[in-house]
Amino acid sequence: MKNRAIIIFLILLAAISVFIIIGDFKSTRPDKQGENPFDLNLDEYKDVAPELIKYKEVKNFKLDIKGLAGISYDNGNLYVAGDSSVQVISLEGQLVNNFPLQDEPYCIVANLVKIYVGNENTVSVYSSDGKLLSTLGPFTENSVITSIDTWEENIFIADAGARKVYRFDSDGNKLGEFEGKTGKDAQHGFIIPSPYFDLAVNTFGDLWIVNPGKHMLENYTFEGSLRSFWKASSIKIDGFSGCCNPAHYAFLPDGSFVTSEKGLVRIKVYKPSGEFDGVVAAPKKFKEEGYAPDIAVDDEGNIYALDFDKKMVRVFELKQTGL
Amino acid sequence: MEKKAENRREFIQKSARLSLVLALGGVGGFALTKTTKDEWVWQIDPFKCTQCGRCESDCVLAPSAVKCIHAYDLCGYCDLCGGYFKPDANELSTAGENQLCPTAAIERKFIEEPYFEYIINEDLCIGCAKCVEGCTSFGNGSFHLQIMHNICLNCNECSIARVCPSDAISRVKSNEAYKVKGDFTTNT
């Protein structure tokens, strides 16, 4: 009789245990979600064929600076702008100089004698030792200065808020501005859905401006006439995806474009003609849905990516191909 | 003797008044508690939402009371919209095979070259967040989910909130019943 009671008890215990295990297995609590049938799977676009990756990451260095805004290369040093200062860093990652900023920076470019820092609606011009020399602007109420570059006596300023490019001379006189319209009747010029609007002048003196809403790179005369353009609109590796890409870009010494994209974060190289050349860093190298790294290129063609999420400069070198 | 009788009468009258005031206060307080309690409704914080798909599958209603809404002031009105088109769309047209939404609940409307407007058809939306994921990944994040209070039953315990992996659903006051993205959003 006693044994029978024990057996019944054990059977009941086993049944309860099985019930609890099945209940737990079928539970939909937050950490036990099954497959989401509506998941937007982008994994296939994050994988890049190894033969397309032409660069390798050779080093990186952490930055002790808050609120990273942009990076520029000039004369053997990197210039990194943050919340309240500019850090001048050697290519080995050593801090060379550091000077405070008066306004919150949005972008930076350095040339041999001056450092230009874009703020919300002004551009501050500093000497190489960090002394404020002059201020360009203020521009408009909606201005957001996202890129600056110089060529000889010309300063070009990209204003994502006003969707305009301003041209100044080195004395601070405004020489002109343009909206990227191809004619007086043109309905639109630069399409800028979010504050990503980059420009640069290559080593041959050609001014190229990103039209991010159209996934285009457009070549303009200094007066603002469109000369040529190329376009690459696709989520696949050879194109630009999303609403506003490339978010940043820089030139290699031969005039090739190094582009950085947001959304599906990746860095790629396009030939001067606009033909896709290869990949510098695949999406898996970056934080998912992270920020598009700002780009700088040195005289040797090494690429410096300012990783906003990891707060570091990542250095990429062209892989040596077997002879 | 008369004075004593008056005092007694006054005392009874005062007591009666006080009782009445207390009773009215109690009833009023109780009513106020009820009203306040009913003023709380469930809502999604779009900045916490991770587009897990549970709003579609775990609401007691079918289709879900969660719908996609569109913050037009954030939208880039893009031709290549990450929330409207499948990543591998053959072309940027309204053909069904190019659309990301499983129920074709987003209407694409031409504004002027090269701008397009995207309008959510709430009757078709099932709250799956597929478009939200696409817009958040590739665009400005103007598509986002909200619990629609003309549909929501305001259950005591929201069955979606119970399983939400990012704790994005909480009770909010009914006079601020929606957490719509707008000027306060941050850049992505």
Side-chain angles (χ1 to χ4, degrees), chain A residues 156-166 177-182 186-194 196-199 207-221 223-226 228-229 243, chain B residues 76 113-115:
Chain A
F156 297 97
I157 299 165
D159 183 341
R163 300 174 182 182
K164 284 179 182 174
V165 171
Y166 309 112
E177 62 178 48
F178 55 93
E179 297 175 318
K181 289 185 176 175
T182 51
Q187 288 181 316
H188 70 85
F190 300 118
I191 309 290
I192 306 165
S194 64
Y196 293 92
F197 183 36
D198 206 353
L199 61 75
L207 170 64
W208 285 85
I209 303 170
V210 178
N211 197 342
K214 299 288 281 180
H215 301 135
M216 278 183 184
L217 273 117
E218 300 176 337
N219 175 213
Y220 286 87
T221 64
E223 289 73 33
S225 297
L226 182 67
S228 66
F229 69 90
C243 74
Chain B
E113 176 61 24
Y115 297 110

Side-chain angles (χ1 to χ4, degrees), chain A residues 28 33 36 193 196 235 243 263, chain B residues 52 54 78 87 137-138 140 163 188:
Chain A
T28 57
Q33 186 183 10
N36 176 10
Y196 293 92
I235 195 173
C243 74
Chain B
C52 67
R54 289 195 159 191
C78 303
S137 299
F138 296 111
N140 292 350
V163 295
T188 55

Side-chain angles (χ1 to χ4, degrees), chain B residues 20-72:
Chain B
L20 190 65
V21 167
L22 283 175
L24 280 173
V27 170
F30 180 71
L32 191 68
T33 320
K34 275 294 266 184
T35 312
T36 312
K37 192 182 167 192
D38 287 344
E39 275 182 355
W40 292 86
V41 291
W42 295 102
Q43 195 46 272
I44 299 170
D45 182 341
F47 293 103
K48 286 185 180 174
C49 172
T50 54
Q51 304 98 40
C52 67
R54 289 195 159 191
C55 288
E56 188 278 336
S57 58
D58 284 74
C59 182
V60 293
L61 296 171
S64 171
V66 176
K67 306 287 179 191
C68 176
I69 67 161
H70 195 188
Y72 289 99

Side-chain angles (χ1 to χ4, degrees), chain B residues 80-101:
Chain B
L80 174 52
C81 172
Y84 183 82
F85 288 111
K86 281 181 183 171
D88 54 352
N90 290 323
E91 58 174 345
L92 304 186
S93 76
T94 55
E97 69 266 25
N98 297 326
Q99 293 185 36
L100 187 63
C101 179

Side-chain angles (χ1 to χ4, degrees), chain A residues 57 59-72 78 80-81 248 260-261 265-267 281-296 303-316:
Chain A
E57 187 171 359
K59 60 185 166 189
N60 56 56
F61 31 92
K62 277 273 190 192
L63 295 165
D64 184 20
I65 183 168
K66 288 180 182 172
L68 289 170
I71 188 170
S72 177
L78 295 168
V80 178
H248 303 285
S260 162
E261 288 169 67
V265 182
R266 53 194 184 186
I267 302 175
K284 288 195 170 173
K285 280 240 167 214
F286 300 99
K287 185 188 166 193
E288 199 168 338
E289 293 177 19
Y291 289 93
D294 196 9
I295 302 289
I303 295 165
Y304 300 85
L306 180 62
D307 191 323
F308 293 97
D309 298 296
K310 294 182 178 172
K311 292 185 172 41
M312 59 166 66
V313 175
R314 303 172 72 172
V315 187
F316 296 89

Side-chain angles (χ1 to χ4, degrees), chain B residues 3-187:
Chain B
K3 203 175 184 181
K4 265 192 179 177
E6 260 180 40
N7 285 347
R8 196 179 296 120
R9 197 172 294 124
E10 263 179 31
F11 174 75
I12 291 166
Q13 280 174 346
K14 277 181 184 171
S15 301
R17 281 193 203 113
L18 189 67
S19 306
L20 190 65
V21 167
L22 283 175
L24 280 173
V27 170
F30 180 71
L32 191 68
T33 320
K34 275 294 266 184
T35 312
T36 312
K37 192 182 167 192
D38 287 344
E39 275 182 355
W40 292 86
V41 291
W42 295 102
Q43 195 46 272
I44 299 170
D45 182 341
F47 293 103
K48 286 185 180 174
C49 172
T50 54
Q51 304 98 40
C52 67
R54 289 195 159 191
C55 288
E56 188 278 336
S57 58
D58 284 74
C59 182
V60 293
L61 296 171
S64 171
V66 176
K67 306 287 179 191
C68 176
I69 67 161
H70 195 188
Y72 289 99
D73 54 344
L74 270 183
C75 179
Y77 292 81
C78 303
D79 185 8
L80 174 52
C81 172
Y84 183 82
F85 288 111
K86 281 181 183 171
D88 54 352
N90 290 323
E91 58 174 345
L92 304 186
S93 76
T94 55
E97 69 266 25
N98 297 326
Q99 293 185 36
L100 187 63
C101 179
T103 60
I106 307 174
E107 184 192 337
R108 173 176 150 100
K109 189 177 161 191
F110 177 73
I111 303 295
E112 63 173 42
E113 176 61 24
Y115 297 110
F116 289 82
E117 189 176 57
Y118 298 90
I119 302 157
I120 313 291
N121 182 338
E122 273 185 24
D123 294 335
L124 294 179
C125 179
I126 55 171
C128 69
K130 200 167 185 177
C131 62
V132 179
E133 198 172 355
C135 182
T136 308
S137 299
F138 296 111
N140 292 350
S142 55
F143 283 153
H144 56 290
L145 294 181
Q146 288 285 276
I147 296 170
M148 307 311 286
H149 296 298
N150 56 331
I151 305 170
C152 176
L153 301 177
N154 201 20
C155 305
N156 279 337
E157 187 185 14
C158 173
S159 60
I160 313 170
R162 199 167 53 81
V163 295
C164 176
S166 57
D167 236 357
I169 302 178
S170 59
R171 279 195 182 275
V172 296
K173 283 187 175 176
S174 63
N175 56 358
E176 293 170 357
Y178 292 91
K179 291 187 172 181
V180 178
K181 278 188 178 181
D183 291 338
F184 58 90
T185 189
T186 53
N187 295 329

